[in-house]
Amino acid sequence: MANPLQGQALEHRTAVGPQLYRILRDRIIRGDFAPGARLSETEIASIYAVSRQPVREAFIKLAEEMLVEVRPQRGTFVSLISVPAVTTARFIREAVEADIVRRVALTADDAAIATLDAQIRTQNALVAAGGEAFMAADEQFHRTLAEIAGQGAVADYLENLKIHMNRVRYISVRQPSRSRLVAQHTEVVEAIRARDPSRAEAAMRAHLQEILVDLPGVVAAHPDFFTSAELVG
């Protein structure tokens, strides 16, 4: 099995600690490092030809985000996924994005709707592709909605909030699921086109509740990845 750390070069003219943090964070969220996996400070330092200090700094930041757990005398391990953390983040995200699409339905001009239509076409083209490309298109769609609503900063806030949601989504995204998600995005756009804020809100709420459909199956299939099998909210 290929080492997920290989193939990513550091830019040594800038601080390496933040770069290592971003690489490790991305790999953990995408599941390249499975929940519970041990991360070797020595191995990472060797691969990137750096001292262990920037690796420690990256681990500290990852621990603050609950993405790794540093166990004294034992090592650093990728944190298990907390089901309550996932469902709480989903609840907050639904409340925020439901309001965003209501605003978009009331204010979007033809150019904004054309942008959303183009993104739907891109998503349809990526249904059969790998999960990573589709996930990027999905993230861009939600960010674009926030920007159209004049709430780009909210998208930045949600980016940190949904870390653990995205960990589940990378585990669960399959082709049938991707097709269903595009259909849900399409319904959001059609509601916006119709200038119907209530319909747009309902479509977004249904879309963001989709993870609750997948979550029990993901937990059942990968119980060792989660801190709790209790599904809440």
Side-chain angles (χ1 to χ4, degrees):
M1 181 176 178
N3 188 325
L5 289 169
Q6 299 288 6
Q8 300 182 70
L10 293 179
E11 174 51 70
H12 286 276
R13 288 176 294 182
T14 60
V16 297
Q19 293 181 69
L20 284 172
Y21 157 72
R22 288 191 294 271
I23 290 171
L24 294 171
R25 182 182 190 272
D26 182 62
R27 291 309 189 188
I28 291 169
I29 291 172
R30 295 183 185 196
D32 294 334
F33 292 114
R38 186 178 186 278
L39 297 179
S40 169
E41 183 179 294
T42 301
E43 179 186 9
I44 293 170
S46 175
I47 287 172
Y48 289 104
V50 297
S51 71
R52 293 168 63 176
Q53 183 58 34
V55 182
R56 291 193 195 102
E57 292 171 1
F59 284 176
I60 289 170
K61 292 190 68 175
L62 292 167
E64 290 172 353
E65 293 185 311
M66 297 188 295
L67 286 172
V68 303
E69 179 183 354
V70 181
R71 303 176 189 171
Q73 309 305 318
R74 296 186 59 191
T76 299
F77 297 81
V78 177
S79 296
L80 300 180
I81 301 170
S82 164
V83 170
V86 171
T87 55
T88 297
R90 188 218 61 82
F91 181 85
I92 296 170
R93 186 181 176 192
E94 179 185 328
V96 172
E97 294 203 37
D99 189 57
I100 283 174
V101 293
R102 288 190 69 92
R103 296 189 184 197
V104 173
L106 292 169
T107 62
D109 58 19
D110 290 343
I113 294 172
T115 296
L116 295 172
D117 285 337
Q119 291 187 1
I120 294 294
R121 290 193 294 272
T122 297
Q123 291 169 34
N124 274 312
L126 291 172
V127 163
E132 183 175 325
F134 183 85
M135 285 281 287
D138 178 43
E139 294 288 336
Q140 184 58 49
F141 178 76
H142 287 273
R143 175 170 288 276
T144 299
L145 288 169
E147 291 171 348
I148 293 171
Q151 298 295 326
V154 171
D156 294 332
Y157 173 80
L158 291 176
E159 190 64 33
N160 290 325
L161 179 72
K162 62 190 181 185
I163 288 172
H164 298 290
M165 283 183 67
N166 283 343
R167 294 180 73 190
V168 174
R169 292 171 66 212
Y170 269 106
I171 296 170
S172 67
V173 169
R174 305 172 304 280
Q175 182 165 335
S177 176
R178 293 195 292 269
S179 298
R180 190 165 64 248
L181 294 179
V182 175
Q184 292 167 357
H185 286 172
T186 301
E187 172 58 19
V188 170
V189 175
E190 290 308 314
I192 292 168
R193 196 189 319 278
R195 314 296 183 186
D196 188 336
S198 295
R199 177 182 166 192
E201 176 183 343
M204 181 58 75
R205 288 187 183 278
H207 171 57
L208 292 178
Q209 289 168 12
E210 185 71 20
I211 193 171
L212 297 179
V213 175
D214 284 341
L215 190 53
V218 175
V219 173
H222 305 280
D224 293 342
F225 286 3
F226 294 85
T227 59
S228 170
E230 179 185 2
L231 302 183
V232 298

